[in-house]
């Protein structure tokens, strides 16, 4: 099966009395894992028995790796919540990246994964100060002579979606239309496509509604 997903978070059982800390760490690691996932989507690596890797921080890193019935490979690594919380904010990117690398290296001792590529992708993201940026959609409406683009930025703190609308050399609109916590559950369903409805440019969502509309077309 194709390897698609990557997660890094503290053990859900061991840290179940510190849910706030657990959720913070889970969210703060998504900007790195999401970046790797987007590279994997293009790479299309065929893994044996699993489609996602879960690097799980726990006090006992000697636990065995194993594949869940949900096609998830669990990879325990050494983790100290108190140490994590003491890391300065500006160093958390490096901290999480090293935890992720530790898990991937351990994973590769038993399972076939594109280790060198994944480590290289992490280093590439580090070179961009851990700013995970991509263009979600670009669409031209020739009838109206306009070009629209949705750009995403996912950082350790938040996700932002920017809409830009241009007509030849004129900028008709350029602004942030969505800000959420850095977690795909919060933002994935909120946008899907760009459409024209009457005299408006509309950003549609995945549940049949609209996230945003701008009246910029001449009547």
């Amino acid at each position: 099966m194709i390897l698609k997903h990557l997660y890094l978070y503290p053990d859900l059982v061991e840290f179940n009395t510190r849910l706030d800390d657990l959720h913070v760490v889970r969210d703060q690691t998504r900007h790195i894992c999401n970046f790797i996932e987007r590279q994997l989507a293009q790479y299309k690596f065929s893994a044996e028995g699993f489609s996602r890797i879960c690097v799980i921080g726990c006090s006992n890193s000697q636990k065995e790796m194993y594949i869940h019935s949900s096609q998830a490979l669990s990879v325990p690594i050494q983790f100290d919540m108190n140490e994590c919380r003491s890391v300065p904010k500006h160093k958390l990117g490096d901290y999480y990246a090293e935890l992720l690398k530790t898990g991937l290296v351990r994973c590769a001792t038993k399972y076939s994964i594109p280790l060198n590529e994944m480590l290289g992708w992490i280093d590439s993201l580090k070179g961009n100060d851990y700013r995970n940026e991509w263009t979600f959609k670009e669409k031209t409406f020739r009838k109206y002579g306009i070009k629209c683009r949705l750009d995403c930025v996912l950082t350790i703190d938040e996700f932002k979606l920017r809409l830009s609308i241009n007509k030849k050399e004129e900028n008709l609109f350029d602004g942030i239309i969505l800000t959420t916590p850095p977690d795909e559950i919060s933002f994935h369903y909120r946008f899907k496509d760009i459409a024209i409805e009457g005299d408006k440019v509309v950003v549609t969502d995945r549940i049949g509604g609209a996230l945003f509309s701008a009246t910029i077309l001449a009547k």
Side-chain angles (χ1 to χ4, degrees):
M1 58 190 61
I2 301 300
L3 178 59
K4 296 180 179 179
H5 301 294
L6 178 65
Y7 299 91
L8 170 62
Y9 55 84
D11 185 270
L12 302 178
V13 175
E14 181 176 352
F15 297 100
N16 67 353
T17 60
R18 305 182 65 174
L19 292 180
D20 288 345
D21 283 340
L22 191 154
H23 292 155
V24 167
V25 175
R26 182 199 61 189
D27 284 358
Q28 288 182 337
T29 60
R30 284 313 303 161
H31 67 302
I32 301 177
C33 293
N34 174 276
F35 181 80
I36 305 304
E37 289 178 348
R38 291 193 299 104
Q39 313 314 308
L40 285 171
Q42 300 178 50
Y43 196 79
K44 299 187 183 306
F45 181 83
S46 181
E48 187 64 39
F50 58 94
S51 61
R52 54 180 169 153
I53 299 172
C54 300
V55 178
I56 303 175
C58 54
S59 57
N60 178 14
S61 63
Q62 300 307 308
K63 291 181 179 180
E64 290 294 324
M65 295 184 283
Y66 66 97
I67 298 176
H68 297 254
S69 58
S70 58
Q71 301 175 349
L73 172 59
S74 175
V75 184
I77 61 167
Q78 193 69 38
F79 177 78
D80 186 312
M81 183 67 82
N82 291 326
E83 177 188 63
C84 178
R85 298 267 55 90
S86 70
V87 176
K89 185 68 172 291
H90 68 282
K91 293 185 178 181
L92 277 174
D94 286 337
Y95 175 76
Y96 290 136
E98 289 306 311
L99 288 179
L100 196 55
K101 286 182 176 181
T102 297
L104 293 175
V105 169
R106 185 185 183 198
C107 178
T109 63
K110 186 175 180 180
Y111 298 93
S112 177
I113 62 172
L115 178 63
N116 291 335
E117 287 81 3
M118 295 176 84
L119 296 181
W121 295 332
I122 294 174
D123 289 339
S124 173
L125 184 63
K126 178 179 179 178
N128 195 35
D129 294 326
Y130 296 103
R131 280 180 63 86
N132 179 358
E133 304 172 292
W134 71 99
T135 296
F136 174 76
K137 179 156 291 189
E138 195 167 26
K139 205 165 184 180
T140 299
F141 298 92
R142 299 189 185 281
K143 177 180 177 180
Y144 303 98
I146 63 171
K147 178 179 288 187
C148 305
R149 192 176 72 239
L150 290 172
D151 291 313
C152 303
V153 178
L154 182 58
T155 68
I156 196 171
D157 294 310
E158 61 190 3
F159 168 83
K160 288 189 175 184
L161 178 69
R162 176 182 293 274
L163 170 66
S164 60
I165 306 172
N166 295 283
K167 186 172 185 177
K168 294 183 179 179
E169 301 302 319
E170 180 184 3
N171 179 254
L172 302 179
F173 181 88
D174 186 10
I176 302 297
I177 61 172
L178 177 67
T179 301
T180 76
D183 179 4
E184 291 90 341
I185 294 175
S186 298
F187 65 77
H188 175 74
Y189 74 96
R190 301 286 299 275
F191 55 96
K192 180 182 180 181
D193 202 358
I194 309 170
I196 300 292
E197 295 182 4
D199 62 347
K200 298 178 180 180
V201 173
V202 178
V203 177
T204 61
D205 62 27
R206 296 177 188 271
I207 54 178
L211 167 68
F212 179 85
S213 65
T215 305
I216 53 88
L217 303 177
K219 295 184 179 180

